[in-house]
Amino acid sequence: MKYPPIPPRRAASCGCGYLAAFVALIVITSLQIQHHHLKVDLGRSDYAAATATQQRRREGGNGAAARWNWNRRTGAEGLPRGIVQTSSDMFLRPLWDPAANRAIPKNKNDRHKALLAMAVGISQMQNVDVMARKFLNESYTVMLFHYDGNVDGWRSLEWSDKAIHIVAPNQTKWWFAKRFLHPSVVAIYDFIFLWDEDLGVENFDPRRYIDIMVSEGLEITQPALDPDLSTDIHHRITIRNKMTKVHRRVYDNRSSMNCSDDSKGPPCTGWVEGMAPVFSRAAWKCVWHLIQNDLIHGWGLDMKLGYCAQGDRAEKVGVIDSEYVVHQGIPSLGGPSDTSKLPRRSLDLRTHIRRQSSAELEKFKERWEKAVREDDEWMDPFDA
C-alpha cells in the first residue's frame, strides 16, 4: 500500500522570529537590571558591615562607645573622631601673623570661664564701660548686642576691640541670645551672664560671684538688688538681705503673695528676674530651648526658668546677696535708631512696647499650657 508523500514543512514565518528576538531582549535587559540592583545591595551591605565593624572597634576602648554614639546623635558619624570639634568660643583670632595667635586667655583663678552678654545702646556706654571692665579684668568674655546700630561710637573704649560686637536695630537681649548664644556655640563657658545694660556694679565682683554659685550648688541665679539705690524693684525676692550670703526664698504674709516655708515655686522660691540672670552651662542648654524665637521680650520666662535648674528649683535657684547690684531702671531700648522711624501715632513708644510685651506674655502662657496638654510623656516635676 502506498502512502502519499509527506509534504515538506514550511519555514516559520518572519513575524515569529521577530517576536522571539524581542522577548529575548527583554529577558536580557531584566537580568542586567537585577544584576545592578544586586551590586548596589551588596555595596550597602558591605558599608553596613564596615560601619558595624568600625563601631565595634571603637567600643573596644574605654569610653569610646559613648563618644561614637554622641557623633551619631550630632550627625558627625561620617567623620573620624579626632577631627570632630565639639565646642566653640568667642575669642578673636588674627587674620595674619600666626605668632600673634596666642593661646586662649585663661581666667585668673584658672577654674571657670564666663561670658557676659548684654543688649546695649550708645546712651549707656559709660555704665556699660564699668560693667565690661569688671569681667574683662577677670579674663572673661564680653559680647555686646547693639540694638541702636551704633558700633563705631564704642571704638574710643580701650577694650572695644576685645569684645564681640553684634548689630541688629531695636532687638532685645532675648532675640540676640536665641540667635547667637546657641548652647553648642557657648559650650566652652561655665557661666552665662545675660544682663541688662542699666546695672550698677560697684559692689559686684564676678569671680567671687561665680565662686558662690559653685559652693552653693546653684544653677540659676541673679545678684541681689540694693534697695536703697535701686529705682526699679518689682519683686521682693530680688531685694538684698544684708544678713545672708544667698537667699532662695522670700517670706510675705500678704494675701496676694502668701509666701512661707510651704511655698514650692515662684514668686516665693525658685525664681529670679529677667534683668540680670546668670546660668550654668547645664541650665543654659535648657533655657535656650525655652526662649521662644518670636517672643522677643521674654515675658513669662522667669516663671518657668526653674524647670531648667537641673533639680529642685527651691534649692538650685537663688539670689546672691553678698555680690549685689543697683538697678537703675533706665528704659533706653525702644528709642529711635538710625534705621527706625517714630510711629505716626502720638502714643509713647514705651507704651507700645509694654503692650506688645503683655501680649507676648499671654502667648507664652498659652503655648506652655498647650505643650503640657499635648505631651503625654511629660510629667511636671513640681506638681504637688
Side-chain angles (χ1 to χ4, degrees):
M1 181 176 181
K2 294 183 179 180
Y3 294 95
I6 300 174
R9 293 182 179 180
R10 291 180 298 179
S13 65
C14 182
C16 292
Y18 286 137
L19 178 61
F22 181 71
V23 171
L25 180 62
I26 292 177
V27 172
I28 293 174
T29 303
S30 178
L31 289 174
Q32 289 178 336
I33 293 174
Q34 291 180 12
H35 178 67
H36 173 73
H37 286 172
L38 181 60
K39 289 175 62 179
V40 172
D41 290 340
L42 288 174
R44 289 174 178 172
S45 177
D46 292 341
Y47 176 79
T51 302
T53 301
Q54 185 179 21
Q55 183 172 357
R56 286 194 296 270
R57 289 175 180 174
R58 293 175 184 271
E59 291 175 353
N62 184 26
R67 290 193 295 272
W68 174 247
N69 289 334
W70 183 91
N71 281 354
R72 293 184 67 185
R73 291 196 302 270
T74 58
E77 66 272 17
L79 301 176
R81 195 166 59 242
I83 201 64
V84 175
Q85 290 279 300
T86 60
S87 64
S88 183
D89 59 56
M90 299 295 173
F91 298 114
L92 301 177
R93 308 290 181 176
L95 291 175
W96 64 93
D97 188 7
N101 195 1
R102 297 180 295 274
I104 295 175
K106 293 185 177 181
N107 189 335
K108 289 182 179 179
N109 64 0
D110 201 28
R111 286 191 296 172
H112 305 295
K113 295 183 177 66
L115 169 67
L116 170 66
M118 296 183 290
V120 301
I122 195 66
S123 62
Q124 293 297 312
M125 184 174 68
Q126 183 176 357
N127 191 68
V128 172
D129 179 27
V130 177
M131 297 171 68
R133 289 176 186 274
K134 288 265 186 176
F135 285 80
L136 291 170
N137 287 341
E138 297 293 339
S139 297
Y140 297 145
T141 302
V142 173
M143 177 181 288
L144 301 183
F145 304 133
H146 297 274
Y147 58 75
D148 62 354
N150 190 336
V151 178
D152 291 338
W154 297 78
R155 301 301 183 191
S156 60
L157 300 177
E158 62 179 359
W159 52 263
S160 179
D161 289 341
K162 299 177 182 179
I164 307 298
H165 300 267
I166 299 177
V167 184
N170 284 332
Q171 299 303 314
T172 70
K173 68 180 182 181
W174 302 107
W175 184 94
F176 283 105
K178 187 66 173 178
R179 288 150 181 82
F180 300 104
L181 298 183
H182 188 280
S184 296
V185 175
V186 297
I188 191 175
Y189 300 104
D190 302 293
F191 298 95
I192 307 295
F193 291 71
L194 189 57
W195 280 14
D196 288 354
E197 61 182 333
D198 60 343
L199 301 177
V201 293
E202 181 180 354
N203 298 292
F204 179 85
D205 183 284
R207 181 181 60 82
R208 290 200 299 263
Y209 187 94
I210 289 175
D211 287 343
I212 294 172
M213 280 191 68
V214 173
S215 64
E216 293 286 335
L218 295 167
E219 299 286 339
I220 301 176
T221 65
Q222 76 160 82
L225 303 183
D226 187 332
D228 299 323
L229 299 178
S230 297
T231 60
D232 200 11
I233 296 179
H234 301 288
H235 304 278
R236 289 189 62 182
I237 196 172
T238 64
I239 298 176
R240 182 192 179 209
N241 185 339
K242 298 180 181 180
M243 306 300 294
T244 62
K245 181 169 61 175
V246 175
H247 70 268
R248 293 174 169 84
R249 65 174 59 245
V250 66
Y251 298 92
D252 195 329
N253 295 326
R254 291 177 298 174
S255 58
S256 59
M257 294 284 290
N258 193 24
C259 294
S260 65
D261 286 326
D262 296 329
S263 301
K264 303 299 182 183
C268 304
T269 187
W271 186 86
V272 298
E273 197 170 4
M275 75 180 75
V278 183
F279 306 100
S280 69
R281 182 194 296 112
W284 181 248
K285 287 181 180 179
C286 173
V287 172
W288 185 89
H289 289 87
L290 180 63
I291 300 172
Q292 303 296 288
N293 189 64
D294 58 326
L295 306 183
I296 63 173
H297 291 286
W299 280 30
L301 287 176
D302 52 357
M303 300 296 288
K304 304 302 181 185
L305 290 177
Y307 287 92
C308 295
Q310 314 301 299
D312 185 357
R313 61 187 175 187
E315 295 296 327
K316 296 291 186 178
V317 180
V319 178
I320 296 181
D321 298 295
S322 57
E323 301 299 324
Y324 58 97
V325 298
V326 174
H327 188 206
Q328 301 170 0
I330 302 174
S332 52
L333 176 59
S337 67
D338 295 338
T339 58
S340 66
K341 296 181 180 180
L342 290 172
R344 296 178 180 178
R345 303 166 70 181
S346 60
L347 200 60
D348 181 74
L349 273 175
R350 298 303 304 177
T351 303
H352 280 295
I353 291 174
R354 183 164 293 275
R355 284 184 176 180
Q356 179 173 330
S357 300
S358 299
E360 289 187 2
L361 173 60
E362 295 306 315
K363 288 183 180 179
F364 181 79
K365 289 179 178 179
E366 293 172 1
R367 290 181 186 180
W368 179 272
E369 293 170 358
K370 183 175 183 289
V372 171
R373 285 195 310 269
E374 295 180 350
D375 192 342
D376 295 332
E377 298 180 359
W378 185 79
M379 296 181 62
D380 192 334
F382 307 119
D383 191 355

